[in-house]
Amino acid sequence: MITQLYCENYTFFLFLVGVLGIFLNQKSIIIIIMSLEIMFLSVSFNFIFFSIYLDNIIGQLFALAILTVAASESSIGLAILVVYYRIRNTITIELMTLTKG
């Protein structure tokens, strides 16, 4: 049976993988976006596990809202990256400072 400690360790491990993905790979914007999605997923898992543990549906509804916002954020981010790739023919963090304005 899945215990509460196992669930907390699982979500902490997923969040740690996301944070390490952001800090260790700062050159590829795609990996940074994927790491952010892993972090959102771990927070959602944490809300779901605790809502089951506390027998309350509010955590599950909040997790659904987080996943909806994360999906829209990633689709908009990928659309911006496609346009940026068409203009520059490369996707690197170093050249992203050229788009400030």
Side-chain angles (χ1 to χ4, degrees):
M1 183 169 174
I2 298 175
T3 63
Q4 182 184 4
L5 184 62
Y6 175 76
C7 296
E8 288 177 12
N9 289 337
Y10 181 70
T11 58
F12 177 72
F13 177 72
L14 275 179
F15 193 81
L16 186 65
V17 167
V19 169
L20 288 177
I22 289 174
F23 286 123
L24 294 181
N25 189 1
Q26 296 182 354
K27 296 201 182 268
S28 176
I29 191 73
I30 300 291
I31 294 178
I32 290 174
I33 289 175
M34 288 173 26
S35 297
L36 280 173
E37 292 298 321
I38 288 175
M39 289 169 62
F40 287 141
L41 187 65
S42 69
V43 170
S44 297
F45 279 162
N46 203 9
F47 279 127
I48 290 172
F49 290 146
F50 276 105
S51 72
I52 291 171
Y53 178 72
L54 297 174
D55 197 25
N56 194 354
I57 199 162
I58 300 298
Q60 294 175 11
L61 293 175
F62 198 67
L64 184 65
I66 288 174
L67 291 176
T68 304
V69 170
S72 64
E73 172 259 334
S74 66
S75 65
I76 291 171
L78 287 175
I80 291 170
L81 283 177
V82 166
V83 171
Y84 185 78
Y85 181 76
R86 287 182 182 170
I87 293 171
R88 298 274 180 201
N89 291 329
T90 184
I91 301 173
T92 57
I93 299 293
E94 290 88 19
L95 298 177
M96 289 288 178
T97 59
L98 297 175
T99 60
K100 288 184 181 176

